[in-house]
Structure formats: C-alpha cells, structure tokens
Amino acid sequence: GSSGFAASEMEMRFMRIGVDIDCIQDSHLMKMQTVFLSNRDLVIGITISATTEEVLYMLQEGHKRGAKTIVLTANNLDYLHEFCDEIVLVASMDRLDEGNMISPQYPILTLTDVIYSSFVDKDESMKEILHDNTVQALGNKKVGENYEKL
C-alpha cells in the first residue's frame, strides 16, 4: 500500500549513502525473503494499521531467525511486543490509513527523514562522498564517456 511508497523512498535515500537495503513491497517476495534472514539483518516493517499480514509475517519470521525487528506504525498493539524489538509510533488521525485528507505517507516520510539525518551525522563526510558519487553516476554521461578511446 502507501507505506510501500514511503519504504521505497527510504531505500533510495539510504542506498545512495552505501547502505545495503532492500524495499520489498510484493507480498510473495516478503514471505520468500524471510527464509534468508539471520541475526545479521534488520527488518523494518511499515504498517500504519499494524495489521498488514505480510509485513507482520516478515517481522515475526525475522524475529524467529534472530534478526532485529522494528515496526513503524500508528497503533501500539499488544501483540507487536512479542516479535518487534522496537515499536516506533508515527502520528495518526482517524482514517489516515485511507488517505482521504492527509497522505498516510506523510508521518512515515517525516520519521524516515529524522532517521536518515541521524544516520548521516554519524560519518557525514564519508556519506556525503557516497551520495555525491551516486548523483554523478545518475548524471547525463553517455555510455563509454568515462573510458579512454582505444
């Protein structure tokens, strides 16, 4: 759903500074990916309602396999504490998950901006270099332009 769009934005931002990150929005891929999770992984589930079956499944299975698990949600439901190491609450209004008035992505995007800024501050100069390199890679250079002609 709309949380997947926010997750995709998060993936692009963190990827540009060298973080090995995957945003999985397809329900089948979420379930298949759980097989590969281990104690070296961090699973961040984003579900405003805290009831999205595939997101909860990935968090539960990740927890069973030793991965650290974090959920970004508007609902602090008791069962989340069983398999989430951290529950990060985002702002919510009645029916926000329906997207009628304010985009449900807004509180998630705001929170990911805070997380991103904090992460970048840890080693700002190196992350700036990585970010600049990705911007250059996306520039208007044509194929082979960086290579000397034979």
Side-chain angles (χ1 to χ4, degrees), residues 66-122:
K68 297 293 181 200
T69 54
I70 300 172
V71 64
L72 308 182
T73 185
N75 293 305
N76 189 10
L77 301 176
D78 287 339
Y79 62 81
L80 295 173
H81 296 270
E82 296 172 20
F83 51 88
C84 293
D85 296 306
E86 297 289 336
I87 299 170
V88 182
L89 296 175
V90 297
S92 178
M93 298 170 55
D94 285 341
R95 298 172 47 186
L96 179 65
D97 58 334
E98 296 172 15
N100 289 345
M101 300 300 253
I102 297 174
S103 169
Q105 297 172 42
Y106 181 73
I108 298 166
L109 290 169
T110 302
L111 180 60
T112 58
D113 280 348
V114 171
I115 294 168
Y116 179 83
S117 295
S118 176
F119 188 79
V120 167
D121 284 346
K122 299 238 185 270

Short mmCIF file of all heavy atoms in Angstrom, two decimals, residues 66-122:
data_model
loop_
_atom_site.label_atom_id
_atom_site.label_comp_id
_atom_site.label_asym_id
_atom_site.label_seq_id
_atom_site.Cartn_x
_atom_site.Cartn_y
_atom_site.Cartn_z
N GLY A 66 16.42 -14.47 14.44
CA GLY A 66 17.43 -13.68 15.14
C GLY A 66 17.66 -12.29 14.61
O GLY A 66 18.51 -11.56 15.12
N ALA A 67 16.93 -11.87 13.59
CA ALA A 67 17.07 -10.51 13.06
C ALA A 67 16.49 -9.51 14.06
O ALA A 67 15.59 -9.84 14.83
CB ALA A 67 16.35 -10.38 11.72
N LYS A 68 17.02 -8.32 14.07
CA LYS A 68 16.43 -7.24 14.84
C LYS A 68 15.19 -6.78 14.08
O LYS A 68 15.21 -6.69 12.85
CB LYS A 68 17.39 -6.07 15.02
CG LYS A 68 18.62 -6.42 15.80
CD LYS A 68 18.27 -6.72 17.24
CE LYS A 68 19.51 -7.06 18.03
NZ LYS A 68 19.21 -7.79 19.23
N THR A 69 14.13 -6.47 14.79
CA THR A 69 12.88 -6.10 14.13
C THR A 69 12.34 -4.79 14.69
O THR A 69 12.30 -4.59 15.91
CB THR A 69 11.82 -7.20 14.30
OG1 THR A 69 11.66 -7.50 15.69
CG2 THR A 69 12.23 -8.47 13.55
N ILE A 70 11.94 -3.92 13.77
CA ILE A 70 11.37 -2.63 14.11
C ILE A 70 10.11 -2.45 13.29
O ILE A 70 10.09 -2.76 12.10
CB ILE A 70 12.36 -1.48 13.77
CG1 ILE A 70 13.66 -1.64 14.55
CG2 ILE A 70 11.72 -0.13 14.03
CD1 ILE A 70 14.75 -0.66 14.13
N VAL A 71 9.07 -1.96 13.92
CA VAL A 71 7.85 -1.65 13.17
C VAL A 71 7.56 -0.16 13.33
O VAL A 71 7.68 0.41 14.41
CB VAL A 71 6.65 -2.51 13.62
CG1 VAL A 71 6.25 -2.24 15.05
CG2 VAL A 71 5.46 -2.33 12.69
N LEU A 72 7.23 0.47 12.20
CA LEU A 72 6.76 1.85 12.19
C LEU A 72 5.25 1.77 12.01
O LEU A 72 4.77 1.26 11.00
CB LEU A 72 7.38 2.64 11.03
CG LEU A 72 8.90 2.61 10.90
CD1 LEU A 72 9.35 3.48 9.73
CD2 LEU A 72 9.58 3.04 12.16
N THR A 73 4.50 2.26 12.98
CA THR A 73 3.06 2.10 12.97
C THR A 73 2.38 3.22 13.75
O THR A 73 3.04 3.91 14.54
CB THR A 73 2.66 0.73 13.56
OG1 THR A 73 1.25 0.56 13.44
CG2 THR A 73 3.07 0.60 15.01
N ALA A 74 1.10 3.37 13.55
CA ALA A 74 0.30 4.32 14.33
C ALA A 74 -0.42 3.62 15.47
O ALA A 74 -1.07 4.28 16.27
CB ALA A 74 -0.70 5.02 13.42
N ASN A 75 -0.30 2.31 15.54
CA ASN A 75 -1.05 1.53 16.53
C ASN A 75 -0.12 0.68 17.39
O ASN A 75 0.50 -0.25 16.88
CB ASN A 75 -2.07 0.63 15.84
CG ASN A 75 -3.15 1.45 15.17
OD1 ASN A 75 -3.79 2.27 15.81
ND2 ASN A 75 -3.34 1.24 13.89
N ASN A 76 -0.07 0.97 18.67
CA ASN A 76 0.77 0.23 19.60
C ASN A 76 -0.03 -0.96 20.14
O ASN A 76 -0.49 -0.95 21.27
CB ASN A 76 1.23 1.15 20.73
CG ASN A 76 2.26 0.50 21.61
OD1 ASN A 76 2.79 -0.55 21.29
ND2 ASN A 76 2.56 1.15 22.71
N LEU A 77 -0.19 -1.97 19.31
CA LEU A 77 -0.98 -3.13 19.68
C LEU A 77 -0.13 -4.11 20.48
O LEU A 77 1.06 -4.31 20.20
CB LEU A 77 -1.55 -3.79 18.43
CG LEU A 77 -2.44 -2.87 17.58
CD1 LEU A 77 -2.89 -3.58 16.32
CD2 LEU A 77 -3.63 -2.37 18.37
N ASP A 78 -0.74 -4.75 21.48
CA ASP A 78 -0.01 -5.62 22.41
C ASP A 78 0.78 -6.71 21.70
O ASP A 78 1.92 -7.00 22.08
CB ASP A 78 -0.98 -6.26 23.41
CG ASP A 78 -1.49 -5.26 24.44
OD1 ASP A 78 -0.82 -4.22 24.64
OD2 ASP A 78 -2.55 -5.52 25.04
N TYR A 79 0.21 -7.34 20.69
CA TYR A 79 0.89 -8.48 20.06
C TYR A 79 2.17 -8.09 19.35
O TYR A 79 3.04 -8.93 19.12
CB TYR A 79 -0.05 -9.25 19.12
CG TYR A 79 -0.57 -8.47 17.95
CD1 TYR A 79 0.19 -8.30 16.79
CD2 TYR A 79 -1.86 -7.93 17.97
CE1 TYR A 79 -0.30 -7.60 15.70
CE2 TYR A 79 -2.36 -7.23 16.88
CZ TYR A 79 -1.58 -7.07 15.76
OH TYR A 79 -2.06 -6.37 14.68
N LEU A 80 2.35 -6.83 19.01
CA LEU A 80 3.59 -6.40 18.35
C LEU A 80 4.80 -6.60 19.25
O LEU A 80 5.90 -6.87 18.78
CB LEU A 80 3.48 -4.93 17.93
CG LEU A 80 2.45 -4.60 16.87
CD1 LEU A 80 2.35 -3.09 16.67
CD2 LEU A 80 2.78 -5.29 15.54
N HIS A 81 4.60 -6.49 20.55
CA HIS A 81 5.70 -6.62 21.51
C HIS A 81 6.28 -8.03 21.53
O HIS A 81 7.41 -8.23 21.96
CB HIS A 81 5.23 -6.21 22.91
CG HIS A 81 4.84 -4.77 23.00
ND1 HIS A 81 5.72 -3.77 23.33
CD2 HIS A 81 3.64 -4.16 22.77
CE1 HIS A 81 5.11 -2.61 23.31
NE2 HIS A 81 3.84 -2.82 22.97
N GLU A 82 5.55 -8.99 21.03
CA GLU A 82 6.01 -10.38 21.02
C GLU A 82 7.14 -10.62 20.01
O GLU A 82 7.97 -11.49 20.21
CB GLU A 82 4.85 -11.32 20.69
CG GLU A 82 3.76 -11.33 21.73
CD GLU A 82 2.54 -12.13 21.27
OE1 GLU A 82 2.68 -12.98 20.35
OE2 GLU A 82 1.46 -11.91 21.84
N PHE A 83 7.17 -9.84 18.92
CA PHE A 83 8.16 -10.10 17.88
C PHE A 83 8.83 -8.84 17.33
O PHE A 83 9.61 -8.93 16.38
CB PHE A 83 7.53 -10.90 16.72
CG PHE A 83 6.25 -10.30 16.19
CD1 PHE A 83 6.29 -9.35 15.19
CD2 PHE A 83 5.03 -10.71 16.70
CE1 PHE A 83 5.12 -8.81 14.70
CE2 PHE A 83 3.85 -10.17 16.21
CZ PHE A 83 3.89 -9.22 15.21
N CYS A 84 8.58 -7.71 17.93
CA CYS A 84 9.24 -6.47 17.50
C CYS A 84 10.16 -5.98 18.61
O CYS A 84 9.71 -5.79 19.74
CB CYS A 84 8.21 -5.40 17.16
SG CYS A 84 7.21 -5.80 15.72
N ASP A 85 11.42 -5.79 18.26
CA ASP A 85 12.37 -5.26 19.23
C ASP A 85 12.08 -3.80 19.54
O ASP A 85 12.31 -3.34 20.66
CB ASP A 85 13.81 -5.41 18.71
CG ASP A 85 14.19 -6.87 18.54
OD1 ASP A 85 14.05 -7.63 19.51
OD2 ASP A 85 14.60 -7.25 17.43
N GLU A 86 11.59 -3.08 18.56
CA GLU A 86 11.23 -1.67 18.74
C GLU A 86 9.92 -1.40 18.03
O GLU A 86 9.71 -1.86 16.90
CB GLU A 86 12.30 -0.74 18.16
CG GLU A 86 13.65 -0.84 18.83
CD GLU A 86 13.69 -0.25 20.23
OE1 GLU A 86 12.84 0.62 20.55
OE2 GLU A 86 14.55 -0.67 21.01
N ILE A 87 9.06 -0.64 18.66
CA ILE A 87 7.82 -0.17 18.05
C ILE A 87 7.92 1.34 18.01
O ILE A 87 8.00 2.00 19.06
CB ILE A 87 6.59 -0.63 18.86
CG1 ILE A 87 6.53 -2.15 18.90
CG2 ILE A 87 5.31 -0.03 18.27
CD1 ILE A 87 5.52 -2.72 19.87
N VAL A 88 7.97 1.88 16.80
CA VAL A 88 8.10 3.32 16.62
C VAL A 88 6.75 3.85 16.16
O VAL A 88 6.27 3.49 15.08
CB VAL A 88 9.21 3.66 15.60
CG1 VAL A 88 9.35 5.17 15.46
CG2 VAL A 88 10.54 3.02 16.01
N LEU A 89 6.17 4.68 17.00
CA LEU A 89 4.84 5.19 16.70
C LEU A 89 4.93 6.45 15.85
O LEU A 89 5.75 7.34 16.12
CB LEU A 89 4.08 5.48 17.99
CG LEU A 89 3.80 4.26 18.86
CD1 LEU A 89 3.14 4.68 20.17
CD2 LEU A 89 2.92 3.26 18.12
N VAL A 90 4.11 6.49 14.82
CA VAL A 90 4.01 7.66 13.96
C VAL A 90 2.66 8.32 14.20
O VAL A 90 1.72 7.68 14.67
CB VAL A 90 4.19 7.31 12.46
CG1 VAL A 90 5.58 6.75 12.20
CG2 VAL A 90 3.13 6.34 11.99
N ALA A 91 2.57 9.59 13.85
CA ALA A 91 1.33 10.33 14.04
C ALA A 91 0.22 9.72 13.22
O ALA A 91 0.44 9.15 12.15
CB ALA A 91 1.54 11.79 13.62
N SER A 92 -0.98 9.86 13.73
CA SER A 92 -2.13 9.32 13.01
C SER A 92 -3.36 10.15 13.32
O SER A 92 -3.45 10.79 14.36
CB SER A 92 -2.38 7.88 13.42
OG SER A 92 -3.52 7.38 12.76
N MET A 93 -4.27 10.14 12.40
CA MET A 93 -5.58 10.74 12.58
C MET A 93 -6.60 9.67 12.24
O MET A 93 -6.27 8.69 11.57
CB MET A 93 -5.75 11.93 11.64
CG MET A 93 -4.77 13.06 11.87
SD MET A 93 -4.82 14.30 10.56
CE MET A 93 -6.52 14.78 10.52
N ASP A 94 -7.81 9.86 12.66
CA ASP A 94 -8.85 8.91 12.27
C ASP A 94 -8.86 8.76 10.76
O ASP A 94 -8.83 9.74 10.02
CB ASP A 94 -10.23 9.39 12.74
CG ASP A 94 -10.41 9.20 14.24
OD1 ASP A 94 -9.67 8.39 14.83
OD2 ASP A 94 -11.29 9.87 14.80
N ARG A 95 -8.86 7.53 10.31
CA ARG A 95 -8.96 7.17 8.90
C ARG A 95 -7.77 7.64 8.05
O ARG A 95 -7.86 7.72 6.84
CB ARG A 95 -10.28 7.68 8.32
CG ARG A 95 -11.46 7.05 9.03
CD ARG A 95 -12.77 7.61 8.67
NE ARG A 95 -12.94 7.74 7.25
CZ ARG A 95 -13.97 8.31 6.69
NH1 ARG A 95 -14.94 8.78 7.42
NH2 ARG A 95 -14.07 8.39 5.38
N LEU A 96 -6.63 7.94 8.70
CA LEU A 96 -5.45 8.34 7.96
C LEU A 96 -5.02 7.25 7.00
O LEU A 96 -4.57 7.53 5.89
CB LEU A 96 -4.30 8.67 8.92
CG LEU A 96 -2.98 9.09 8.29
CD1 LEU A 96 -3.14 10.42 7.56
CD2 LEU A 96 -1.91 9.21 9.35
N ASP A 97 -5.19 5.99 7.40
CA ASP A 97 -4.77 4.89 6.55
C ASP A 97 -5.58 4.82 5.25
O ASP A 97 -5.18 4.17 4.30
CB ASP A 97 -4.82 3.56 7.29
CG ASP A 97 -6.19 3.23 7.85
OD1 ASP A 97 -6.97 4.16 8.11
OD2 ASP A 97 -6.46 2.03 8.02
N GLU A 98 -6.69 5.53 5.19
CA GLU A 98 -7.48 5.56 3.96
C GLU A 98 -7.00 6.65 3.01
O GLU A 98 -7.36 6.66 1.84
CB GLU A 98 -8.96 5.79 4.30
CG GLU A 98 -9.55 4.65 5.12
CD GLU A 98 -10.94 4.97 5.61
OE1 GLU A 98 -11.56 5.94 5.11
OE2 GLU A 98 -11.42 4.26 6.51
N GLY A 99 -6.22 7.59 3.50
CA GLY A 99 -5.66 8.63 2.65
C GLY A 99 -6.68 9.62 2.13
O GLY A 99 -6.47 10.23 1.09
N ASN A 100 -7.78 9.82 2.85
CA ASN A 100 -8.82 10.73 2.37
C ASN A 100 -8.42 12.19 2.43
O ASN A 100 -8.77 12.96 1.55
CB ASN A 100 -10.11 10.53 3.18
CG ASN A 100 -10.78 9.22 2.86
OD1 ASN A 100 -10.46 8.59 1.87
ND2 ASN A 100 -11.69 8.80 3.72
N MET A 101 -7.73 12.60 3.48
CA MET A 101 -7.42 14.00 3.67
C MET A 101 -5.91 14.27 3.62
O MET A 101 -5.46 15.10 2.88
CB MET A 101 -7.96 14.50 5.01
CG MET A 101 -9.46 14.35 5.10
SD MET A 101 -10.30 15.28 3.83
CE MET A 101 -10.97 16.59 4.76
N ILE A 102 -5.18 13.57 4.44
CA ILE A 102 -3.73 13.73 4.52
C ILE A 102 -3.12 12.40 4.12
O ILE A 102 -3.55 11.34 4.54
CB ILE A 102 -3.31 14.10 5.95
CG1 ILE A 102 -3.91 15.45 6.34
CG2 ILE A 102 -1.79 14.13 6.07
CD1 ILE A 102 -3.68 15.84 7.78
N SER A 103 -2.06 12.47 3.32
CA SER A 103 -1.41 11.24 2.88
C SER A 103 -0.91 10.44 4.06
O SER A 103 -0.24 10.98 4.95
CB SER A 103 -0.24 11.58 1.96
OG SER A 103 0.53 10.43 1.73
N PRO A 104 -1.20 9.15 4.09
CA PRO A 104 -0.69 8.31 5.18
C PRO A 104 0.83 8.17 5.13
O PRO A 104 1.45 7.75 6.10
CB PRO A 104 -1.38 6.97 4.96
CG PRO A 104 -1.93 7.01 3.59
CD PRO A 104 -2.07 8.44 3.19
N GLN A 105 1.44 8.56 4.01
CA GLN A 105 2.89 8.50 3.90
C GLN A 105 3.57 9.62 4.67
O GLN A 105 4.72 9.50 5.06
CB GLN A 105 3.31 8.62 2.43
CG GLN A 105 2.83 7.50 1.56
CD GLN A 105 3.14 7.81 0.11
OE1 GLN A 105 4.20 8.29 -0.22
NE2 GLN A 105 2.19 7.54 -0.75
N TYR A 106 2.87 10.71 4.90
CA TYR A 106 3.48 11.89 5.50
C TYR A 106 4.20 11.62 6.82
O TYR A 106 5.37 11.95 6.96
CB TYR A 106 2.45 13.02 5.65
CG TYR A 106 3.04 14.26 6.23
CD1 TYR A 106 3.88 15.06 5.46
CD2 TYR A 106 2.81 14.62 7.54
CE1 TYR A 106 4.45 16.20 5.99
CE2 TYR A 106 3.38 15.75 8.09
CZ TYR A 106 4.19 16.53 7.31
OH TYR A 106 4.77 17.65 7.85
N PRO A 107 3.54 11.00 7.82
CA PRO A 107 4.26 10.77 9.08
C PRO A 107 5.42 9.79 8.92
O PRO A 107 6.44 9.91 9.60
CB PRO A 107 3.19 10.22 10.03
CG PRO A 107 2.06 9.80 9.17
CD PRO A 107 2.15 10.60 7.90
N ILE A 108 5.30 8.84 8.01
CA ILE A 108 6.38 7.89 7.78
C ILE A 108 7.57 8.59 7.12
O ILE A 108 8.72 8.39 7.53
CB ILE A 108 5.90 6.71 6.92
CG1 ILE A 108 4.79 5.94 7.64
CG2 ILE A 108 7.06 5.77 6.58
CD1 ILE A 108 4.04 4.98 6.76
N LEU A 109 7.30 9.41 6.12
CA LEU A 109 8.37 10.14 5.45
C LEU A 109 9.08 11.09 6.42
O LEU A 109 10.31 11.22 6.38
CB LEU A 109 7.83 10.91 4.24
CG LEU A 109 7.39 10.04 3.07
CD1 LEU A 109 6.62 10.87 2.05
CD2 LEU A 109 8.58 9.36 2.42
N THR A 110 8.33 11.72 7.28
CA THR A 110 8.93 12.61 8.27
C THR A 110 9.85 11.83 9.20
O THR A 110 10.98 12.24 9.47
CB THR A 110 7.84 13.33 9.09
OG1 THR A 110 7.00 14.07 8.19
CG2 THR A 110 8.43 14.27 10.11
N LEU A 111 9.39 10.69 9.66
CA LEU A 111 10.20 9.86 10.55
C LEU A 111 11.45 9.34 9.84
O LEU A 111 12.54 9.35 10.41
CB LEU A 111 9.39 8.69 11.10
CG LEU A 111 10.15 7.76 12.04
CD1 LEU A 111 10.67 8.50 13.26
CD2 LEU A 111 9.27 6.60 12.45
N THR A 112 11.31 8.90 8.59
CA THR A 112 12.49 8.40 7.88
C THR A 112 13.48 9.52 7.62
O THR A 112 14.68 9.28 7.60
CB THR A 112 12.11 7.68 6.57
OG1 THR A 112 11.39 8.55 5.72
CG2 THR A 112 11.31 6.42 6.84
N ASP A 113 13.01 10.76 7.47
CA ASP A 113 13.93 11.90 7.35
C ASP A 113 14.75 12.06 8.63
O ASP A 113 15.95 12.32 8.58
CB ASP A 113 13.17 13.19 7.06
CG ASP A 113 12.79 13.36 5.61
OD1 ASP A 113 13.30 12.59 4.76
OD2 ASP A 113 11.98 14.26 5.31
N VAL A 114 14.11 11.91 9.76
CA VAL A 114 14.80 12.02 11.05
C VAL A 114 15.84 10.90 11.19
O VAL A 114 16.99 11.14 11.58
CB VAL A 114 13.79 11.99 12.22
CG1 VAL A 114 14.50 11.87 13.56
CG2 VAL A 114 12.90 13.23 12.18
N ILE A 115 15.45 9.68 10.85
CA ILE A 115 16.37 8.54 10.92
C ILE A 115 17.55 8.74 9.98
O ILE A 115 18.70 8.54 10.34
CB ILE A 115 15.63 7.22 10.61
CG1 ILE A 115 14.59 6.92 11.69
CG2 ILE A 115 16.62 6.06 10.46
CD1 ILE A 115 13.62 5.81 11.32
N TYR A 116 17.25 9.17 8.76
CA TYR A 116 18.30 9.40 7.75
C TYR A 116 19.27 10.48 8.23
O TYR A 116 20.49 10.29 8.17
CB TYR A 116 17.64 9.82 6.43
CG TYR A 116 18.61 10.11 5.33
CD1 TYR A 116 19.14 9.08 4.56
CD2 TYR A 116 18.97 11.41 5.02
CE1 TYR A 116 20.02 9.33 3.53
CE2 TYR A 116 19.86 11.67 3.98
CZ TYR A 116 20.38 10.65 3.24
OH TYR A 116 21.26 10.91 2.21
N SER A 117 18.76 11.59 8.73
CA SER A 117 19.62 12.67 9.20
C SER A 117 20.53 12.21 10.34
O SER A 117 21.72 12.52 10.37
CB SER A 117 18.79 13.86 9.67
OG SER A 117 18.08 14.41 8.60
N SER A 118 19.97 11.45 11.25
CA SER A 118 20.75 10.93 12.36
C SER A 118 21.84 9.98 11.87
O SER A 118 22.99 10.03 12.33
CB SER A 118 19.82 10.21 13.34
OG SER A 118 20.55 9.61 14.37
N PHE A 119 21.49 9.13 10.92
CA PHE A 119 22.45 8.17 10.36
C PHE A 119 23.58 8.89 9.63
O PHE A 119 24.75 8.56 9.80
CB PHE A 119 21.73 7.21 9.43
CG PHE A 119 22.57 6.07 8.95
CD1 PHE A 119 22.81 4.97 9.76
CD2 PHE A 119 23.14 6.10 7.68
CE1 PHE A 119 23.61 3.93 9.32
CE2 PHE A 119 23.94 5.06 7.24
CZ PHE A 119 24.17 3.97 8.06
N VAL A 120 23.24 9.88 8.84
CA VAL A 120 24.25 10.63 8.08
C VAL A 120 25.20 11.36 9.02
O VAL A 120 26.41 11.44 8.76
CB VAL A 120 23.59 11.61 7.09
CG1 VAL A 120 24.58 12.60 6.51
CG2 VAL A 120 22.91 10.84 5.96
N ASP A 121 24.68 11.88 10.12
CA ASP A 121 25.52 12.61 11.08
C ASP A 121 26.61 11.75 11.69
O ASP A 121 27.61 12.27 12.16
CB ASP A 121 24.66 13.21 12.20
CG ASP A 121 23.89 14.43 11.75
OD1 ASP A 121 24.20 14.99 10.67
OD2 ASP A 121 22.96 14.83 12.48
N LYS A 122 26.45 10.44 11.68
CA LYS A 122 27.43 9.54 12.31
C LYS A 122 28.78 9.55 11.58
O LYS A 122 29.81 9.37 12.17
CB LYS A 122 26.87 8.13 12.39
CG LYS A 122 25.62 8.05 13.22
CD LYS A 122 25.79 7.10 14.37
CE LYS A 122 24.50 6.93 15.11
NZ LYS A 122 24.33 7.87 16.19
#
